[in-house]
Amino acid sequence: MSEPLIDTILASLKAELPDLAGASLKAARHLLSAAREDLDHWSAQVATGHLSAAELEWLARSRLDVLRVETLRETGLAHARLDALRRRLVVHIVQALLPAA
């Protein structure tokens, strides 16, 4: 592989991967923050007798299910972005190996 091609690939990776990591961390932070707020709210309701322990358990299990679905969605979006990056890299490689006639 030529040096310019390697430089192009490395530049693409450097540009895309931190962005993907940052977006994933931001989504995880948001999901965990929302879950914490829900648990705080529900705990207060249990303390005042507005929710039973069984209701709290049901709500917590349901919230975990939502977190799993959201995590799967975010993972799918990250995979789609990685696939797009791979396609762009293949285009760079093909263009470098088969210059336009």
Side-chain angles (χ1 to χ4, degrees):
M1 256 190 265
S2 69
E3 199 63 33
L5 176 59
I6 292 171
D7 291 342
T8 299
I9 291 171
L10 291 176
S12 293
L13 290 173
K14 284 179 185 178
E16 291 288 329
L17 294 180
D19 184 44
L20 283 170
S24 297
L25 288 174
K26 183 179 176 183
R29 224 178 260 116
H30 174 72
L31 291 172
L32 293 173
S33 176
R36 185 188 65 217
E37 289 172 9
D38 287 344
L39 289 174
D40 290 346
H41 179 72
W42 298 333
S43 295
Q45 287 184 323
V46 168
T48 61
H50 288 97
L51 283 176
S52 69
E55 291 169 323
L56 176 61
E57 182 180 350
W58 184 88
L59 287 168
R61 287 182 192 272
S62 297
R63 189 63 167 122
L64 284 174
D65 288 342
V66 169
L67 284 173
R68 284 185 192 108
V69 169
E70 287 293 319
T71 301
L72 287 171
R73 184 181 72 83
E74 290 298 325
T75 301
L77 292 173
H79 281 277
R81 290 183 69 188
L82 284 172
D83 285 342
L85 174 60
R86 278 190 285 260
R87 285 191 302 272
R88 285 194 303 276
L89 291 175
V90 167
V91 167
H92 287 304
I93 292 169
V94 169
Q95 287 174 345
L97 295 176
L98 302 172

